Amino acid sequence: MECFSCFLGLLLLLAARLPLDAAKRFHDVLSNERTSGYMREYNQLNGWSSDENEWNEKLYPVWKRGDSRWKNSWKGGHVQAILTSDSPALVGSTITFVVNLVFPRCQTEDVSGNIVYEKNCRNDTGPSSDQYVYNWTEEVDSGNGNSPGHHNVFPDGKPFPHHPGWKRWNFVYVFHTLGQYFQKLGRGSARVSVNTANVPLGPQLMEVTVYRRHRRAYVPIAKVKDVYVVTDHIPVFVTMYQKNDRNLSDETFLRDLPIMFTVLIHDPSHFLNESAIYYKWNFGDNTGLFVSNNPTLNHTYVLNGTFNLNLTVQAAVPGPCPSPSPKPPKPTSFLPTNLKSYSNSPASANDNPLELRENPDEMCQIYRYGYFKATITIVEGILEVNIVRMTDVLMPVPQPDNSLMDFVVTCQGTIPTEVCTIVSDPTCQLAHSTVCDPVDVDVAGMCLLTVRRAFTGSGTYCVNLTLGDDTSLALTSTLVSVPARDPASPLRMANGALVSVGCLAIFVTAITLLVYKKRKGYKLIENSTGIVVKGNGLSVSLNRAKAMFRPGNQEKDPLLSHQPGIL
């Protein structure tokens, strides 16, 4: 009997311990791929909880990968969760994670948080007779959703926050990283921000599990994870732009043209807004070190070759001083103000030990650095192009709807291998035609080209003319006015001019003969030589004919002194 009592006591003890041993914890649910050497020593994230807490498996069932129940977790298909972040993050700044749910085709979330079928959308199963995929509004109202207990709690038992509109949020998001979790109620998307002051440097893993409302419980619908990076170096990117450069992505640029370098600092949380930032440039062409507080700088390479570009970005970040170092401060070290500084640069870390703070409100400056390197190739190219003359081309056969124009073009730099023109409307927005031709002429080191282009109809046109080679592309633009042409121009005008000249010649000949006949009976004796009289008469007749068409003072005509008098 005594042995039986002992055996019964052992069974009761095991029964009492069974729920404790069987209870799942957050790290059992959220990290299925954890290794045996998993470390749990992490600094506390503000607002996050330890994943050693118990998980309410009754309200939030746990399904392993490959469980057949996943197939029926969502009506009409599978829900995909997409996790993104604004990583990399500078240590001390805030990193933001966003989860977006992608519903099956023809399903969407309405303003009330319910999942409905889209109108006029057909999927593989055809149109649905029901408007709702999930009508959670009706579900919450019928289930006495105002009650603070029961099923309106998170997996760790904490109640849902009853902020305005909380009943329309039917998804539970559980974020997990660094041995800690954060629970959030949301709709089709959720956003969480984390301060990285206590996050270890390097790549870290964020995992998210999503549950949907299902009567008085919740059903898992998606899991997703992503890697984010926390660094003590300022994330720096540099864009390089040069006029006439044909390919901006190959880091090959042209000699004797300025390159515009623009520094972009990845700081989505605006952590460095109050920081003094300096940019130190070394362009690798023996021009020295350039220091500026402007993120944009122009530089011109005057020699061909390959150059190593180096940029260092320095930011003085104001913030609270860290805990004092065990090393005692130097007795000679004294700062006149209460603004101290330290750096993450290895070169200066041992030379500037921090002093013990006597004032709890004392502020320090933390120097953070970012680095950028690039190898730049400098080559020759087309530096400039100009249109020096435009002339109309007269066509032997008139074409009223087609006009030709020659553009005389000069350029500086290398000789182009192709020329392209784009003829557009006067605003240079709507292109009418594009023509490209190879340049296959020997210009003996001089860039002087004549480009002939056709214009259909009269009006004002915008002409973009581009000269290019393998590495450069130079552009110039001009406005061209093409006048309306007479269908008979210019050939009929030439024929009309010839007819007018022929009529004039006949008229002058007739007048000459008439005058000659009248003067024949009054010849002077001393002028009886026929040749002389003929010459004089012809001269007088021509001058009189000119006088008829060009009236003026005839007293200056020398022939008047030789006119015969009346006998």
Side-chain angles (χ1 to χ4, degrees):
M1 185 68 180
E2 185 175 336
C3 293
F4 177 76
S5 299
C6 294
F7 179 73
L8 181 61
L10 180 60
L11 289 178
L12 293 175
L13 180 61
L14 292 175
R17 291 180 55 86
L18 184 61
L20 180 61
D21 294 338
K24 289 187 179 294
R25 303 184 183 276
F26 271 75
H27 62 76
D28 298 325
V29 176
L30 303 178
S31 298
N32 296 326
E33 300 178 359
R34 178 172 297 145
T35 60
S36 58
Y38 174 73
M39 299 297 296
R40 302 198 151 275
E41 299 298 328
Y42 292 108
N43 293 325
Q44 178 67 37
L45 301 178
N46 186 25
W48 290 57
S49 304
S50 171
D51 62 3
E52 292 289 339
N53 292 342
E54 292 186 7
W55 177 280
N56 188 341
E57 193 175 0
K58 182 178 180 181
L59 282 180
Y60 295 86
V62 179
W63 300 342
K64 294 182 179 180
R65 181 179 300 176
D67 195 311
S68 60
R69 289 175 291 182
W70 281 104
K71 297 180 180 179
N72 299 320
S73 65
W74 190 269
K75 187 186 302 183
H78 175 68
V79 175
Q80 181 183 4
I82 299 177
L83 173 63
T84 58
S85 73
D86 52 15
S87 168
L90 181 63
V91 62
S93 67
T94 298
I95 185 172
T96 299
F97 301 89
V98 178
V99 180
N100 289 301
L101 299 182
V102 180
F103 302 112
R105 176 176 168 78
C106 298
Q107 297 183 14
T108 186
E109 188 178 28
D110 66 8
V111 294
S112 299
N114 300 311
I115 306 300
V116 298
Y117 290 103
E118 295 180 356
K119 295 181 179 179
N120 302 322
C121 180
R122 298 180 62 88
N123 55 19
D124 296 336
T125 60
S128 174
S129 58
D130 191 2
Q131 175 186 358
Y132 292 96
V133 182
Y134 294 104
N135 187 355
W136 286 311
T137 301
E138 180 179 327
E139 208 173 277
V140 171
D141 293 340
S142 62
N144 190 20
N146 292 324
S147 173
H150 300 98
H151 58 282
N152 293 319
V153 295
F154 288 112
D156 63 356
K158 294 180 181 178
F160 291 161
H162 287 195
H163 51 71
W166 72 275
K167 292 183 180 180
R168 300 179 179 179
W169 295 14
N170 300 294
F171 298 96
V172 176
Y173 298 83
V174 183
F175 294 79
H176 181 247
T177 188
L178 302 175
Q180 302 167 64
Y181 68 89
F182 185 86
Q183 307 165 127
K184 187 177 181 66
L185 196 64
R187 299 185 59 173
S189 65
R191 178 186 300 263
V192 169
S193 296
V194 180
N195 187 280
T196 60
N198 292 330
V199 177
L201 300 179
Q204 309 295 340
L205 183 65
M206 175 65 75
E207 301 169 290
V208 183
T209 302
V210 186
Y211 282 76
R212 68 168 174 86
R213 188 187 298 275
H214 179 64
R215 298 187 179 91
R216 292 181 175 273
Y218 298 88
V219 175
I221 59 172
K223 285 189 174 183
V224 66
K225 56 186 176 181
D226 192 24
V227 174
Y228 64 98
V229 176
V230 177
T231 176
D232 59 351
H233 288 169
I234 302 173
V236 173
F237 307 89
V238 176
T239 63
M240 292 172 274
Y241 171 79
Q242 185 185 47
K243 178 184 176 182
N244 297 354
D245 184 25
R246 186 156 198 159
N247 186 356
L248 295 175
S249 62
D250 62 355
E251 296 185 349
T252 298
F253 298 93
L254 309 180
R255 190 185 70 183
D256 296 328
L257 279 182
I259 306 173
M260 183 174 67
F261 298 89
T262 302
V263 183
L264 304 176
I265 295 178
H266 182 70
D267 184 28
S269 66
H270 310 292
F271 178 63
L272 300 176
N273 274 12
E274 304 300 325
S275 303
I277 302 177
Y278 293 94
Y279 307 89
K280 302 177 182 179
W281 298 88
N282 187 339
F283 294 100
D285 57 352
N286 297 324
T287 55
L289 183 67
F290 296 86
V291 181
S292 171
N293 59 358
N294 192 325
T296 299
L297 185 68
N298 292 336
H299 184 74
T300 302
Y301 287 90
V302 296
L303 297 175
N304 294 346
T306 300
F307 303 91
N308 294 320
L309 168 68
N310 288 277
L311 168 68
T312 301
V313 180
Q314 174 186 294
V317 184
C321 295
S323 302
S325 172
K327 181 179 178 180
K330 296 179 181 180
T332 57
S333 175
F334 177 78
L335 294 176
T337 66
N338 64 345
L339 187 65
K340 298 188 174 82
S341 65
Y342 64 98
S343 168
N344 68 330
S345 175
S348 59
N350 297 327
D351 297 333
N352 296 292
L354 293 176
E355 294 186 1
L356 182 64
R357 288 184 297 170
E358 297 179 358
N359 184 358
D361 297 329
E362 190 175 18
M363 300 294 289
C364 285
Q365 282 187 339
I366 307 172
Y367 284 98
R368 300 294 185 188
Y369 296 89
Y371 305 95
F372 176 83
K373 295 182 179 181
T375 300
I376 294 178
T377 302
I378 303 299
V379 298
E380 294 184 356
I382 305 172
L383 305 181
E384 186 178 354
V385 57
N386 294 290
I387 299 175
V388 296
R389 188 169 66 250
M390 296 181 296
T391 57
D392 289 327
V393 179
L394 295 180
M395 295 178 290
V397 179
Q399 299 180 9
D401 294 333
N402 195 0
S403 300
L404 293 180
M405 184 169 291
D406 283 347
F407 299 86
V408 179
V409 181
T410 62
C411 65
Q412 297 179 10
T414 58
I415 304 302
T417 58
E418 67 174 356
V419 55
C420 294
T421 53
I422 301 177
V423 179
S424 311
D425 67 326
T427 63
C428 300
Q429 300 295 322
L430 181 61
H432 296 325
S433 64
T434 302
V435 179
C436 291
D437 295 313
V439 177
D440 189 17
V441 294
D442 185 9
V443 293
M446 295 181 57
C447 180
L448 182 63
L449 306 174
T450 300
V451 181
R452 177 169 294 181
R453 288 295 178 256
F455 297 87
T456 56
S458 60
T460 302
Y461 297 90
C462 172
V463 177
N464 291 324
L465 194 146
T466 304
L467 301 182
D469 60 10
D470 293 339
T471 58
S472 58
L473 206 63
L475 169 70
T476 186
S477 299
T478 186
L479 289 177
V480 176
S481 180
V482 178
R485 295 184 181 274
D486 188 345
S489 173
L491 192 57
R492 288 191 178 180
M493 291 180 61
N495 292 337
L498 292 176
V499 172
S500 300
V501 171
C503 294
L504 180 60
I506 295 173
F507 178 73
V508 170
T509 303
I511 294 297
T512 302
L513 294 175
L514 180 61
V515 172
Y516 173 73
K517 290 180 180 180
K518 288 185 178 181
R519 283 179 49 88
K520 193 173 181 181
Y522 298 95
K523 291 190 296 181
L524 296 178
I525 297 175
E526 59 271 19
N527 292 334
S528 59
T529 305
I531 297 177
V532 176
V533 172
K534 183 178 180 180
N536 287 340
L538 182 60
S539 299
V540 173
S541 300
L542 289 176
N543 280 278
R544 288 185 178 180
K546 289 192 294 181
M548 295 176 62
F549 293 97
R550 191 177 60 187
N553 185 4
Q554 299 183 8
E555 297 296 329
K556 298 180 180 180
D557 197 325
L559 295 180
L560 292 178
S561 59
H562 297 99
Q563 292 182 2
I566 299 174
L567 296 177

